[in-house]
Amino acid sequence: MPTQSRLRRIFIAFCCMAPGLAWGQGFSALVSPPRIEDSAKPGETYRNVIEITNVSDNPAHYTVKTADWTLQADDTVQFSEALAPGSCRPWVGLEADGLNMAANGKKRYRFEVAVPADAPSGECRFAIMIEGDPESVDGGVAIPVSGRIGVIVYLTLGDAAAQLAIADQKLQTVDGRLLPVLSVRNNGNAHARLQGFVDGKDRSGKTYAFAPSTLPILPGETREIPLTPQGDSEDAPAPTLTYPVQLKGRLDWGGQHLDIETTLSR
């Protein structure tokens, strides 16, 4: 039988899969925006607001705190309340460490980041965690669990920027589908998130627009970015590709550009 701590971790992981939205025994919350990407200057205080909604017919109490986070190789996010080396969380001020929410209530929640005057060029990254009070789940024994959701904040400091390069282009099975995948290296000191479309044509002559995964590419890491062919509409079934596939186009992030021209075969 799983331990109480493991069951609690499983429950929390489930609640954090959908960005901006989570449900639990007593935790039905919507948070907007699900992430914040902005910039700040050393010596200035950055201020912003998130909106928290209790999507429940019952009143609720939420705890709010900050956390550091890492993006794992399997693209899941791991949160940590312990201060990571070089964490900027000591700069962060929260409006309150707890919120009482009316049934179906909505609140604007303020936070700020007091960036030191001597802060080096780089990126301040942290999460604002909204967590429901523990509830008991009866699975033979009463196990206290709580749902939580994290709003990821990226603050670019000074002249920090990504420096992107394609390390590899290949075919790879992603969620049961064989797709083109870019291995993208970020040698800069700020994250990137590829945007745009790449034109593609498969062996049958059909043409598609390929969209990149929106996963962040953090400084110093190489991340696999799948390219997914888009259907004619949101309701259309996922296109089935016949290989080889020819790709040509450009993906962007800020002033960064990645030119792509390749043919990928099984």
Side-chain angles (χ1 to χ4, degrees):
M1 177 181 293
T3 65
Q4 290 190 15
S5 61
R6 171 151 176 79
L7 285 170
R8 188 174 189 274
R9 289 198 299 270
I10 291 170
F11 189 86
I12 287 172
F14 173 80
C15 286
C16 290
M17 285 191 298
L21 184 63
W23 286 277
Q25 279 289 106
F27 183 67
S28 302
L30 174 66
V31 183
S32 179
R35 67 173 178 260
I36 293 172
E37 293 170 318
D38 213 334
S39 61
K41 296 179 180 179
E44 294 186 357
T45 298
Y46 171 88
R47 295 181 175 88
N48 209 332
V49 174
I50 59 176
E51 189 171 81
I52 304 171
T53 304
N54 175 20
V55 192
S56 169
D57 293 333
N58 299 308
H61 177 265
Y62 301 152
T63 299
V64 186
K65 62 185 73 174
T66 63
D68 284 303
W69 59 273
T70 53
L71 186 61
Q72 305 299 297
D74 62 359
D75 303 333
T76 59
V77 178
Q78 180 176 335
F79 298 105
S80 172
E81 293 182 16
L83 276 179
S87 173
C88 65
R89 284 166 54 204
W91 308 346
V92 181
L94 300 178
E95 177 179 348
D97 59 8
L99 288 174
N100 291 313
M101 302 286 294
N104 298 302
K106 181 181 297 186
K107 288 190 177 182
R108 287 170 59 82
Y109 183 88
R110 296 170 294 180
F111 71 95
E112 64 181 32
V113 183
V115 183
D118 59 353
S121 176
E123 192 166 59
C124 171
R125 294 189 300 272
F126 61 94
I128 299 174
M129 307 300 300
I130 299 95
E131 184 169 350
D133 288 341
E135 295 278 335
S136 290
V137 175
D138 193 357
V141 293
I143 300 171
V145 297
S146 61
R148 67 177 181 177
I149 191 166
V151 175
I152 305 294
V153 180
Y154 304 79
L155 271 188
T156 302
L157 306 178
D159 59 359
Q163 293 182 12
L164 303 178
I166 297 177
D168 195 12
Q169 302 174 78
K170 58 192 174 185
L171 294 178
Q172 187 170 305
T173 301
V174 180
D175 296 332
R177 299 178 64 193
L178 189 64
L179 294 175
V181 172
L182 305 177
S183 294
V184 182
R185 177 72 181 171
N186 183 357
N187 293 313
N189 58 356
H191 83 290
R193 195 184 307 274
L194 294 180
Q195 298 172 335
F197 293 94
V198 174
D199 293 328
K201 181 169 68 174
D202 71 1
R203 186 178 64 186
S204 70
K206 293 182 179 178
T207 59
Y208 303 96
F210 286 76
S213 161
T214 58
L215 288 169
I217 308 163
L218 301 182
E221 77 169 12
T222 300
R223 185 152 295 276
E224 307 288 278
I225 303 295
L227 301 178
T228 303
Q230 305 301 291
D232 295 332
S233 68
E234 291 185 2
D235 299 330
T240 300
L241 301 173
T242 57
Y243 291 94
V245 167
Q246 299 174 359
L247 299 173
K248 186 174 182 180
R250 190 178 80 176
L251 298 175
D252 306 290
W253 173 254
Q256 297 286 303
H257 309 294
L258 290 180
D259 292 314
I260 298 161
E261 185 169 6
T262 188
T263 299
L264 298 176
S265 304
R266 287 179 180 270

